[in-house]
């Protein structure tokens, strides 16, 4: 699995955890962490394999 897939899988898991828990503090923390992982996955995908900021073609 590549880094982008791992980050987006983490996003999905955090959203599921957010829906599964009943404590509002834990729910907000899970959703927040999920949002961070989602954005990190997008950034990792846009950077490409060579580490440049340009999307790979």
């Amino acid at each position: 699995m590549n880094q982008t897939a791992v980050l987006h899988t983490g996003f999905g898991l955090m959203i599921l955890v957010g829906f599964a828990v009943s404590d509002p503090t834990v729910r907000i923390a899970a959703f927040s962490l999920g949002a961070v992982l989602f954005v990190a996955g997008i950034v990792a995908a846009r950077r490409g394999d060579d580490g440049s900021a340009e999307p790979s073609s």
Side-chain angles (χ1 to χ4, degrees), residues 3-56:
Q3 184 179 10
T4 302
V6 171
L7 290 168
H8 281 119
T9 301
F11 157 73
L13 289 173
M14 287 299 103
I15 296 303
L16 289 175
V17 167
F19 284 122
V21 296
S22 60
D23 184 28
T25 304
V26 176
R27 180 173 288 193
I28 291 170
F31 286 150
S32 299
L33 181 57
V36 169
L37 290 172
F38 185 76
V39 171
I42 292 172
V43 170
R46 292 197 42 94
R47 289 183 68 94
D49 293 338
D50 61 352
S52 68
E54 299 292 319
S56 59

